[in-house]
């Protein structure tokens, strides 16, 4: 009964949705729907826990994100989407990748429920089944019943919003004519907030506004023209705003923004799962045998731990190398075809001290870069799998004569899969063949 009544309530609300304060009218629709969901679930003792997770997806695409659920608490996760979406689905997975609950009904208000016996990390899978005008905004709110007081539950546990957006002609403008997007979050005095903004299309500028209107600003964090960052102990309780804008008027382009809040001393947020480094490749740095400058960062890890290492630069073609304790080497260049970005998402194969090398594709390249290392337990990444192999004479061959190795996995509609192959010894080519024999291929 709750599922039906919530669907009807939100459906009626869509006609009256207010449009303010978020990146766009579509994201505002999502946030206000979740507030309305709270009104429906409130009489049953449920209240919204933390900030909603929001994002955008194209038709028939999906995304995963992780959450921590406390033991002894009942949860309902509610998904919503904007007016251009008519069907979005949710799936909740535990630490081992087993499904706890799912909602694949043909509607735009999916709900999944959980009542964990102990605190643990879970994965939420969002599938955009029907989106008429791409991309569609979606949101997921976590509603809890029987929770401990907020200060006891949230102490030390970070809450993160991730946003991808664009500054473009037609956006709101500051009085000095820079385009801007605006985001909001609820903050309490004494909490720590870390706001991180990254863009390669323009020089990003970040403004944090307190409920009283006082502002904190940052440009060129640690000298990087592609990054702005603010870490601050909140001095007021209420609704805070984050303004994403540019250093100069008229600049446009894509950006990525994260807003993380938690209780604790400044400097503790990055240690909760993400590590940021900014540096510069320059004459006088150490060099690889092939002549490229490089910087090295230590990374201690355990076998089975999942890490995502992301390297970006607008000044040179970045190249990423991870060297395991056994000297096994993993490499990436031009992640998803982007000559300004390299990324490795991997499950660590052994315990010990790893080295992360930041270098360039060609010898002699110099410039500033930003490095981010995210780490979670492998249990929080269902299905993570790493294979090593060698193409050699005697392998199977394609009709056109290339050697080939093949691997199999089980999949289901709506699941997201990411395949990454790298080699420093040959030009890799990747093919994904579905059960019907249809091919998806990628090179470089």
């Amino acid at each position: 009964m709750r599922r039906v009544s919530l669907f009807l309530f939100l459906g009626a609300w869509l006609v009256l949705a207010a449009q303010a304060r978020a990146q766009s009218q579509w994201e505002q629709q999502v946030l206000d729907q979740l507030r309305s969901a709270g009104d429906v679930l409130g009489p049953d003792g449920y209240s919204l826990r933390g900030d909603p997770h929001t994002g955008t997806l194209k038709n028939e695409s999906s995304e995963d994100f992780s959450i921590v659920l406390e033991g002894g608490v009942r949860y309902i996760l509610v998904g919503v989407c904007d007016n251009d979406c008519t069907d979005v689905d949710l799936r909740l997975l535990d630490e081992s990748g087993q499904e706890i609950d799912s909602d694949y009904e043909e509607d735009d208000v999916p709900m999944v429920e959980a009542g964990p016996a102990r605190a643990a990390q879970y994965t939420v899978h969002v599938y955009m089944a029907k989106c008429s005008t791409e991309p569609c905004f979606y949101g997921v709110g976590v509603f809890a019943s029987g929770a401990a007081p907020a200060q006891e539950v949230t102490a030390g546990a970070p809450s993160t919003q991730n946003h991808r957006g664009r500054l473009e002609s037609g956006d709101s403008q500051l009085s000095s004519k820079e385009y801007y997007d605006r985001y909001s979050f609820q903050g309490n005095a004494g909490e720590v907030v870390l706001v991180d903004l990254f863009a390669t299309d323009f020089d990003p500028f970040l403004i944090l506004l307190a409920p009283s209107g006082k502002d904190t600003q940052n440009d060129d964090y640690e000298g990087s023209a592609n990054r702005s960052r603010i870490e601050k102990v909140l001095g007021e309780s209420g609704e805070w705003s984050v303004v994403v804008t540019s250093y100069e008027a008229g600049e446009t382009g894509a950006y990525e923004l994260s807003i993380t809040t938690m209780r604790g001393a400044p400097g503790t947020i990055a240690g909760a799962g993400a590590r940021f480094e900014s540096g510069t490749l320059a004459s006088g740095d150490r060099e690889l045998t092939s002549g490229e400058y490089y910087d090295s960062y230590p990374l201690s890890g355990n076998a089975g731990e999942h890490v995502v290492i992301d390297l970006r630069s607008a000044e040179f073609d970045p190249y990423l190398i991870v060297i395991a304790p056994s000297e096994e080497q993993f490499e990436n260049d031009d992640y998803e075809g982007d000559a300004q970005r390299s990324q490795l998402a991997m499950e660590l194969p052994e315990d010990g001290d790893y080295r992360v090398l930041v270098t360039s594709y060609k010898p002699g390249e110099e410039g500033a870069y930003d490095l981010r290392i995210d780490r979670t337990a492998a249990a929080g990444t269902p299905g993570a799998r790493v294979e090593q192999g060698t193409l050699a004479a005697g392998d199977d061959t394609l009709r056109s004569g290339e050697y080939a190795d093949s691997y199999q996995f089980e999949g289901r509609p709506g699941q997201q899969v990411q395949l990454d192959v790298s080699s420093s010894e040959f030009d890799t080519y990747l093919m994904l063949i579905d059960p019907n024999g249809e091919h998806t291929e990628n090179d470089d």
Side-chain angles (χ1 to χ4, degrees):
M1 179 62 71
R2 180 186 293 119
R3 190 183 302 269
V4 175
S5 63
L6 180 59
F7 174 78
L8 294 175
F9 186 95
L10 293 180
W13 176 90
L14 286 174
V15 181
L16 305 173
Q19 300 172 351
R21 289 188 300 104
Q23 171 196 343
S24 67
Q25 67 187 66
W26 298 279
E27 187 171 10
Q28 190 62 47
Q29 292 167 7
V30 165
L31 295 176
D32 286 345
Q33 287 181 69
L34 289 173
R35 292 191 184 98
S36 296
D39 294 337
V40 174
L41 296 174
D44 290 335
Y46 286 86
S47 59
L48 184 64
R49 172 72 59 82
D51 294 311
H53 177 92
T54 60
T56 60
L57 286 170
K58 293 183 178 180
N59 189 50
E60 296 185 348
S61 64
S62 62
E63 183 173 80
D64 292 343
F65 65 92
S66 297
I67 59 173
V68 176
L69 301 182
E70 301 292 327
V73 179
R74 292 296 308 174
Y75 292 92
I76 297 177
L77 279 65
V78 179
V80 296
C81 55
D82 66 29
N83 290 356
D84 296 320
C85 154
T86 56
D87 187 7
V88 63
D89 302 318
L90 285 184
R91 187 171 178 235
L92 183 66
L93 307 170
D94 67 12
E95 291 177 301
S96 65
Q98 296 298 307
E99 181 178 294
I100 301 300
D101 195 12
S102 62
D103 184 348
Y104 281 94
E105 294 181 12
E106 193 169 343
D107 60 46
D108 55 1
V109 191
M111 292 194 296
V112 294
E113 301 187 35
R118 61 177 181 84
Q121 181 167 294
Y122 291 76
T123 296
V124 181
H125 179 77
V126 185
Y127 177 63
M128 185 63 65
K130 292 183 181 179
C131 172
S132 59
T133 303
E134 297 179 335
C136 284
F137 276 90
Y138 75 86
V140 179
V142 180
F143 296 85
S145 175
Q151 66 271 20
E152 295 178 18
V153 173
T154 61
S159 172
T160 301
Q161 297 182 37
N162 292 301
H163 303 274
R164 292 185 179 182
R166 291 187 64 87
L167 294 183
E168 52 193 0
S169 176
D171 282 351
S172 300
Q173 291 180 278
L174 302 177
S175 58
S176 46
K177 302 303 182 183
E178 295 88 357
Y179 299 120
Y180 74 89
D181 290 336
R182 183 169 177 150
Y183 300 85
S184 300
F185 68 94
Q186 293 294 323
N188 298 311
E191 289 182 332
V192 181
V193 64
L194 171 61
V195 187
D196 202 272
L197 172 64
F198 188 91
T200 56
D201 294 340
F202 62 92
D203 186 350
F205 194 95
L206 193 57
I207 304 172
L208 177 65
L209 294 173
S212 64
K214 295 180 181 179
D215 68 90
T216 303
Q217 303 181 9
N218 180 258
D219 176 47
D220 294 351
Y221 177 70
E222 294 188 348
S224 173
N226 300 123
R227 185 179 177 199
S228 294
R229 184 175 187 260
I230 295 173
E231 184 172 353
K232 181 180 178 67
V233 178
L234 302 184
E236 306 174 26
S237 297
E239 186 170 82
W240 290 70
S241 295
V242 174
V243 177
V244 173
T245 185
S246 60
Y247 183 73
E248 296 183 356
E251 290 187 283
T252 60
Y255 63 83
E256 295 183 15
L257 173 72
S258 67
I259 305 170
T260 301
T261 56
M262 69 174 290
R263 285 200 168 274
T268 60
I269 292 179
R275 169 182 167 191
F276 300 92
E277 303 283 356
S278 295
T280 303
L281 292 184
S283 176
D285 283 351
R286 290 170 289 181
E287 296 182 28
L288 302 177
T289 56
S290 46
E292 297 85 358
Y293 300 125
Y294 76 91
D295 290 338
S296 178
Y297 296 91
L299 174 66
S300 295
N302 299 313
E305 188 176 2
H306 189 75
V307 297
V308 179
I309 305 172
D310 192 87
L311 171 64
R312 308 190 194 201
S313 175
E315 299 180 10
F316 63 91
D317 185 349
Y319 197 96
L320 186 61
I321 304 173
V322 175
I323 303 175
S326 64
E327 298 301 318
E328 183 179 7
Q329 193 161 301
F330 305 88
E331 304 178 10
N332 180 257
D333 177 47
D334 295 351
Y335 176 70
E336 294 185 344
D338 187 346
Q340 297 181 330
R341 183 180 186 188
S342 293
Q343 185 186 102
L344 283 170
M346 58 185 292
E347 184 177 300
L348 299 184
E350 55 187 297
D351 296 343
D353 294 326
Y354 291 73
R355 287 176 291 156
V356 177
L357 302 189
V358 173
T359 186
S360 60
Y361 182 73
K362 295 179 179 179
E365 290 187 280
E366 300 182 12
Y369 63 82
D370 291 292
L371 176 70
R372 174 173 177 145
I373 302 174
D374 283 290
R375 55 201 302 166
T376 59
T381 311
R385 172 178 164 187
V386 177
E387 303 279 358
Q388 286 91 39
T390 302
L391 292 184
D395 283 350
D396 293 335
T397 57
L398 304 180
R399 293 178 183 176
S400 46
E402 297 87 354
Y403 298 124
D405 288 340
S406 64
Y407 301 89
Q408 295 181 330
F409 66 92
E410 295 290 331
R412 59 176 288 182
Q415 282 184 312
Q416 182 181 35
V417 61
Q418 177 176 316
L419 306 177
D420 187 75
V421 60
S422 62
S423 174
S424 60
E425 299 179 4
F426 61 92
D427 185 355
T428 56
Y429 195 93
L430 189 61
M431 288 185 286
L432 176 66
I433 304 174
D434 69 17
N436 297 320
E438 295 186 9
H439 288 215
T440 302
E441 304 182 11
N442 178 261
D443 178 41
D444 298 340

